[in-house]
Amino acid sequence: MKDIPAGSSIGIEAPAKVNLFLEVAGRRPDGYHDLESIFQAISIYDTLTIESTRSGAVTISCNVKTLETPENLAVEAARAFLDAAGLDTGLHIALEKRIPVRAGLGGGSSDAAAVLVGLNRLAGAPFTNDDLRAMAASLGSDVPFFVEGGTALVEGRGERVRQMDFGGVFYFVVLYPGFGVSTAAVYKNLRLKLTGEKRNVKVLWDLMSTGNLDAAEGEFFNRLEETAIGLDDRLGKLKLRMSLRTGGASVLVSGSGSSLFSAFADKHRALKAYEALKAATPGELYFAGSAMRRAPAVHPKGDNGGDF
Ligand code: C5P
């Protein structure tokens, strides 16, 4: 396996995600839940620069000081990669955070996947994306999706990822309400009705795969939403407030919350909703588009094989 020479560096972007669909198939013996979900990467990005050092340690600097800790999932990802590759290079990760934290937008998971992908490029691509997804699964349920991003059907705990050849684009209005939600608390409080009807992801999958985006808008769904709103009724009020101003589009909680979003096939409708919401909502409002799937690993040229 190739080493990573000291002083080499790579820049990489880490997109956020929303869940266009999320059904919970059941609780597993290990306490996690089996999901059927369509993940969509969106164009809100953290950026990372990973640099090899002579220090022998993995360090991190971040514009959000509370994330500057050895427990940051990006640091754990770097350690997992070095272990798997049998390397003892020192690394410094500079993380520029733009994706809100504990927001259901997958920011921490995306940063971790970006570290795996970035290090794989720096090391001359010793691992396949399947290898990286296996490493990713041990870091967190949402991390495997972010190895490639784009649009994907995600099943199991999150480790089974099937990319969709989705040529279309959705436009998103995303509201981070200014407070976070604990994913573990939402899953813990989830009451799955044994007799309740399960929604089938195939309907939305087929509509999106065939480019039927207007009809797809009516099939967005999130099983975790009711529980997230039950835990914090501010989310229910915000959902109502957003629904009244988005011209009839559906408003959904992303993942376990706390962000709410609407997705539009039509850019003008999305922009209109964004303008209408800007004045009427607390927190941070984002306008975004679908983010494309990450390009396959390439061998970095020289010292700087970055994305930028
Ligand atoms: O895997 P991750 O650390 O992101 O999961 C956070 C929490 O969410 C877990 O502790 C678990 O309670 C819950 N979870 C779950 N089923 C999943 C994903 C997460 O129960 N598929």
Side-chain angles (χ1 to χ4, degrees):
M1 187 155 305
K2 269 173 56 175
D3 205 352
I4 303 176
S8 53
S9 75
I10 189 165
I12 190 160
E13 291 187 317
K17 61 85 178 162
V18 293
N19 301 84
L20 297 176
F21 181 96
L22 197 167
E23 177 59 290
V24 179
R27 202 176 130 92
R28 301 152 44 120
D30 63 6
Y32 282 87
H33 294 77
D34 278 322
L35 307 180
E36 262 194 350
S37 185
I38 295 181
F39 278 54
Q40 173 65 60
I42 63 171
S43 62
I44 304 170
Y45 297 97
D46 291 342
T47 48
L48 297 94
T49 307
I50 311 167
E51 191 181 358
S52 63
T53 63
R54 294 184 197 284
S55 75
V58 180
T59 54
I60 187 164
S61 58
C62 183
N63 58 323
V64 179
K65 292 299 159 201
T66 50
L67 300 180
E68 241 174 28
T69 76
E71 286 81 41
N72 190 307
L73 207 55
V75 175
E76 286 184 25
R79 287 208 207 92
F81 183 94
L82 295 177
D83 270 0
L87 299 172
D88 55 10
T89 323
L91 293 171
H92 181 72
I93 301 166
L95 170 60
E96 176 78 23
K97 204 76 200 149
R98 290 188 207 89
I99 305 169
V101 179
R102 281 161 55 92
L105 299 175
S109 302
S110 188
D111 296 343
V115 167
L116 297 180
V117 170
L119 286 176
N120 200 42
R121 289 182 190 169
L122 267 186
F127 297 115
T128 64
N129 278 357
D130 278 342
D131 297 332
L132 296 182
R133 274 187 284 268
M135 260 180 243
S138 68
L139 296 165
S141 305
D142 288 352
V143 188
F145 161 73
F146 282 111
V147 169
E148 291 185 34
T151 313
L153 175 66
V154 175
E155 294 175 296
R157 210 192 101 190
E159 77 286 3
R160 295 212 313 271
V161 178
R162 175 149 51 113
Q163 298 291 149
M164 184 195 281
D165 268 329
F166 174 53
V169 173
F170 282 117
Y171 298 92
F172 301 88
V173 179
V174 182
L175 176 70
Y176 169 66
F179 55 86
V181 161
S182 153
T183 302
V186 171
Y187 277 106
K188 199 159 157 256
N189 284 278
L190 180 69
R191 298 284 168 264
L192 292 174
K193 298 186 192 81
L194 292 174
T195 52
E197 206 176 304
K198 291 267 183 285
R199 295 276 296 248
N200 189 344
V201 68
K202 203 172 163 341
V203 180
L204 179 58
W205 177 268
D206 286 346
L207 287 171
M208 287 174 66
S209 308
T210 52
N212 205 339
L213 302 194
D214 287 317
E217 275 187 35
E219 296 298 328
F220 299 148
F221 173 74
N222 181 359
R223 178 65 66 194
L224 301 178
E225 176 169 288
E226 203 181 314
T227 309
I229 290 174
L231 285 176
D232 195 325
D233 67 352
R234 288 175 293 178
L235 290 178
K237 290 188 185 125
L238 283 171
K239 177 173 160 123
L240 192 63
R241 200 192 291 189
M242 274 181 87
S243 300
L244 294 171
R245 287 175 172 81
T246 44
S250 68
V251 177
L252 272 189
V253 165
S254 181
S256 57
S258 59
S259 295
L260 295 146
F261 74 96
S262 286
F264 301 82
D266 181 79
K267 189 175 185 179
H268 294 289
R269 272 180 64 217
L271 278 169
K272 247 178 100 176
Y274 175 74
E275 291 302 329
L277 285 167
K278 225 166 46 178
T281 45
E284 294 162 25
L285 193 68
Y286 298 86
F287 185 82
S290 309
M292 296 301 127
R293 189 172 168 179
R294 188 171 266 138
V298 286
H299 292 261
K301 294 188 187 76
D303 275 357
N304 247 316
D307 272 347
F308 297 139

